[in-house]
Amino acid sequence: MNLRKVNQQDLFNYTLNDLPPGYKINPSSLTIWYKSGYLSFDPNKKNEFNEAEFQEFRFITTLFISGISLISIDKLLGNLKKPYAYDISKIYFNWIKREWEYLPDKPEVNLFEAVDQLINTKEIGILTDLQEKISAYLLTIPKAK
């Protein structure tokens, strides 16, 4: 699978404060990651990051704070191209195939089509439960005067 790196530029740059609270890392670790080739830049020498840098930083940080060994991290990164500017919220490592893959897109649900499908397949139990739930909710709404 060929993963796309983040290349879109946001209107505003990021700072380390934009990371979730659990991502606070010792500054010396950041320099080590840079000098070891995990990061294409030294985060300690920048005040702001563009989108690609921020995603690269987030991706690498997520791997290192996961608690897995350095050997495992190297294996996980083995088939990815540097810099590692991948959006960690959109990919996962498939352990069976031993490769990174995109998370499936969540399909948009058309409620009316879903109900029509339930009617067509005669899912009376589910339809009855839905009717009861909707009716109970409608009883809680004040009537217009």
Side-chain angles (χ1 to χ4, degrees), residues 50-122:
N50 65 35
E51 177 73 18
E53 291 168 333
F54 185 72
Q55 293 299 342
E56 176 186 354
F57 181 78
R58 210 172 121 198
F59 184 80
I60 291 301
T61 301
T62 299
L63 290 177
F64 275 94
I65 66 173
S66 71
I68 61 176
S69 70
L70 186 57
I71 293 170
S72 295
I73 290 173
D74 287 339
K75 286 187 187 238
L76 289 172
L77 296 174
N79 60 352
L80 292 177
K81 294 178 184 167
K82 292 181 181 182
Y84 302 115
Y86 301 99
D87 187 342
I88 195 73
S89 68
K90 295 183 179 176
I91 63 173
Y92 73 101
F93 191 78
N94 182 326
W95 294 99
I96 295 171
K97 294 180 181 178
R98 296 180 181 251
E99 64 183 29
W100 291 93
E101 294 184 353
Y102 285 104
L103 288 167
D105 288 329
K106 294 180 184 174
E108 288 189 31
V109 176
N110 180 320
L111 188 56
F112 294 101
E113 287 178 12
V115 170
D116 286 341
Q117 179 67 23
L118 292 170
I119 291 169
N120 292 336
T121 56
K122 299 186 182 352

Side-chain angles (χ1 to χ4, degrees), residues 4-24:
R4 291 181 310 278
K5 294 180 184 181
V6 173
N7 59 12
Q8 180 176 330
Q9 189 60 24
D10 275 358
L11 189 57
F12 300 103
N13 285 335
Y14 296 89
T15 68
L16 291 181
N17 293 331
D18 293 315
L19 290 169
Y23 280 63
K24 301 301 181 208

Side-chain angles (χ1 to χ4, degrees), residues 126-139:
I126 295 172
L127 288 165
T128 302
D129 289 346
L130 283 173
Q131 179 186 25
E132 289 171 4
K133 188 174 251 185
I134 292 168
S135 296
Y137 171 73
L138 291 174
L139 291 174

